[in-house]
Amino acid sequence: SDLQKQEERGELLQPLIFVLLVLCSVLLYFKVSLMDPGFVKSEEEAGNSEEQSMVIPQVPSNIKMRRCGYCLVKQPMRARHCQLCQHCVRRYDHHCPWIENCVGEKNHPLFIAYLSVQLVVLLWGGHAAWSGLYFEQSWDWLRHNIFLLMSFLLIVIFTIVVLLLLISHLYLISCNTTTWEFMSHHRISYLRHSELENPFDQGVILNLWRFFC
């Protein structure tokens, strides 16, 4: 049959890989959306003082943990309260409206993996849409290709957004900082009173290693 001939020629391999990538992207989306991003639990308070003492030495020792005014737990360093999630989140990065969840200590690496897979899917889809376009200066051509053309333009827009988001996150990870710390540096006590611009930075290689491994 035609299907067997296509399989023998290897023509089904690329569509199969593309479908698997889309499935992987969907699974990562739900995983990142539904998992605990690193919520600070009240029962963890007993271990917070020990954790605070093990913080990188460049952080001023006179910076004490404060109690959250919303959920009343003691916030470990780099945690922040998210009013949308109604929880304090460890190593808070930002609340992502696309996944309807915070990006924090536990799901940040998976969020990067999701963006990476999504970027590959978008680039592949954009290539497929572009290869299906052949341009003619006529209304009849536009009427028959308007859906494919709009799909390509949407893919381009989403690709640019995902690419910029991925690049910005990889840059912040390589500096061992978060979106919240980068945007609100002047308002965060442990950064404002530190002698260093970023007391958590231990070099690009070590920063990446500790984040992903």
Side-chain angles (χ1 to χ4, degrees), residues 97-111:
W98 176 249
I99 64 173
E100 276 300 320
N101 195 10
C102 281
V103 175
E105 184 179 72
K106 290 185 178 180
N107 66 348
H108 201 169
L110 278 178
F111 181 73

Side-chain angles (χ1 to χ4, degrees), residues 154-174:
L154 281 174
I155 289 173
V156 169
I157 293 171
F158 284 125
T159 300
I160 293 172
V161 171
V162 172
L163 180 62
L164 292 175
L165 193 58
L166 181 60
I167 290 173
S168 65
H169 273 275
L170 289 175
Y171 169 74
L172 293 175
I173 291 165
S174 69

Side-chain angles (χ1 to χ4, degrees), residues 118-176:
Q118 190 66 49
L119 181 61
V120 174
V121 170
L122 286 168
L123 288 172
W124 197 332
H127 173 73
W130 177 258
S131 62
L133 285 171
Y134 60 95
F135 294 96
E136 295 179 5
Q137 293 183 353
S138 67
W139 285 109
D140 188 57
W141 174 89
L142 185 61
R143 184 166 56 87
H144 285 91
N145 291 272
I146 186 67
F147 178 74
L148 188 59
L149 188 61
M150 289 180 64
S151 298
F152 176 74
L153 292 175
L154 281 174
I155 289 173
V156 169
I157 293 171
F158 284 125
T159 300
I160 293 172
V161 171
V162 172
L163 180 62
L164 292 175
L165 193 58
L166 181 60
I167 290 173
S168 65
H169 273 275
L170 289 175
Y171 169 74
L172 293 175
I173 291 165
S174 69
C175 300
N176 195 4

Side-chain angles (χ1 to χ4, degrees), residues 78 80 92-95 165 168-169 171-172 177-188 190-192 197-198:
R78 310 191 79 179
R80 183 176 186 266
Y92 176 87
D93 189 87
H94 71 288
H95 183 93
L165 193 58
S168 65
H169 273 275
Y171 169 74
L172 293 175
T177 189
T178 64
T179 303
W180 172 57
E181 290 172 340
F182 182 78
M183 301 294 290
S184 306
H185 188 279
H186 61 287
R187 294 194 291 112
I188 301 173
Y190 58 82
L191 295 179
R192 190 173 67 247
E197 181 72 18
N198 178 12

Side-chain angles (χ1 to χ4, degrees), residues 29-98:
Y29 173 81
F30 282 110
K31 177 67 175 176
V32 175
S33 299
L34 299 175
M35 73 180 294
D36 176 359
F39 294 136
V40 181
K41 311 278 194 312
S42 57
E43 59 268 19
E44 294 175 354
E45 288 189 15
N48 279 345
S49 57
E50 181 181 348
E51 176 186 300
Q52 187 79 357
S53 66
M54 296 174 65
V55 174
I56 300 171
Q58 292 93 326
V59 179
S61 57
N62 61 338
I63 303 297
K64 304 299 182 184
M65 286 187 301
R66 68 183 187 90
R67 190 170 290 276
C68 176
Y70 296 97
C71 54
L72 302 179
V73 298
K74 282 187 178 179
Q75 287 183 335
M77 192 169 287
R78 310 191 79 179
R80 183 176 186 266
H81 184 85
C82 175
Q83 296 196 30
L84 294 172
C85 292
Q86 294 298 309
H87 283 285
C88 286
V89 180
R90 289 176 174 272
R91 202 181 182 278
Y92 176 87
D93 189 87
H94 71 288
H95 183 93
C96 180
W98 176 249

